[in-house]
Amino acid sequence: PDHFLVSTLDEVKVRDLGIESSIYRVPAWTPDGTSITVASGLDSSGVVLYTTDIRADQLDSVQPIASLRPFSTFLWSPRGDHLAVGRAADVITYQGSSFIVYDSLAFVPQDEEAESWSINDNILAYFWSPDGGRLAYITLSDTPGTLRWKIVDLNSRDTWRLVDFVPSREQLTMFEFFDQYYYSHSLWSPDSAFLVFSGNIRGEAASASVGAHPGHTDPH
């Protein structure tokens, strides 16, 4: 449950951040690499989200951000201007995998004088676009057994449906642990214009199949 910061610039230095937590999956680095956001809490009584400046030597540089439920998630935008915070609400089973459902997604600005805002939906996973202007998220669709991509624009705060689909087994695993895979597997194109994912499409989208399957009945 302990958090250690290991510096390897000149010589190995280990710093105990003084924060304990065992009810979240991965910390969130700010894009400039100067700060790290972690959740503090050891049980279901409550979680506090903290950001600490790794350049500071004193632990009083640790700043509380928000109180959360256990197993909530948080990802900084590529621009570093907003922290997306998914507030865990429930757990569901989809195709044999357990998913935490987030009933709201809050956008917390880095500027302390700016106001936070949020969207309410049953969210299973979310991904920032590389330009930081939009965020794509997965939710349940109106058709049983089908998931839906939705997009939220940070400037207009508008949200719209993109496409419904049934994910492949591998894609589903990535969604299940999206906050960890987010740092190594980008689903957005570098210009923030396209999303790429694997599964069966239920709507309008360009696709490429492994083989020629009439009707696109197999994963592609």
Side-chain angles (χ1 to χ4, degrees):
D2 297 318
H3 288 68
F4 296 95
L5 185 68
V6 182
S7 173
T8 61
L9 292 178
D10 299 316
E11 59 179 306
V12 175
K13 296 180 181 179
V14 180
R15 171 187 169 194
D16 189 337
L17 295 180
I19 294 175
E20 292 186 334
S21 180
S22 57
I23 49 180
Y24 81 103
R25 287 194 296 236
V26 61
W29 284 95
T30 54
D32 62 8
T34 61
S35 299
I36 192 169
T37 301
V38 298
S40 175
L42 296 175
D43 53 41
S44 60
S45 61
V47 181
V48 179
L49 202 59
Y50 290 92
T51 291
T52 180
D53 187 341
I54 65 171
R55 299 165 299 180
D57 294 328
Q58 302 299 319
L59 291 180
D60 58 9
S61 64
V62 178
Q63 300 296 325
I65 296 178
S67 296
L68 299 174
R69 305 183 187 109
F71 303 107
S72 296
T73 56
F74 37 94
L75 297 172
W76 281 101
S77 74
R79 297 187 301 207
D81 56 350
H82 283 86
L83 181 70
V85 182
R87 300 180 186 274
D90 201 356
V91 177
I92 65 168
T93 299
Y94 176 82
Q95 293 191 8
S97 296
S98 296
F99 278 87
I100 298 173
V101 178
Y102 309 95
D103 60 3
S104 70
L105 185 62
F107 296 93
V108 181
Q110 187 181 48
D111 183 357
E112 295 181 357
E113 297 182 358
E115 292 185 0
S116 301
W117 58 281
S118 63
I119 57 174
N120 297 315
D121 211 336
N122 292 318
I123 299 169
L124 305 184
Y126 53 92
F127 304 87
W128 283 103
S129 62
D131 64 7
R134 290 181 292 171
L135 182 141
Y137 66 91
I138 300 291
T139 186
L140 300 174
S141 78
D142 302 327
T143 303
T146 304
L147 301 182
R148 174 173 293 173
W149 277 110
K150 297 180 78 172
I151 305 291
V152 56
D153 186 280
L154 270 290
N155 294 321
S156 66
R157 301 188 182 183
D158 291 334
T159 302
W160 64 93
R161 168 188 173 274
L162 189 63
V163 68
D164 292 357
F165 70 107
V166 177
S168 68
R169 181 69 252 175
E170 294 81 4
Q171 189 69 76
L172 196 63
T173 298
M174 180 184 178
F175 290 156
E176 189 176 2
F177 304 101
F178 75 94
D179 52 343
Q180 293 170 302
Y181 279 111
Y182 170 79
Y183 293 97
S184 59
H185 294 61
S186 177
L187 299 183
W188 284 92
S189 61
D191 60 359
S192 301
F194 297 93
L195 282 170
V196 60
F197 56 94
S198 177
N200 282 323
I201 299 296
R202 298 289 186 266
E204 296 296 326
S207 63
S209 296
V210 175
H213 304 297
H216 299 285
T217 57
D218 289 346
H220 54 277

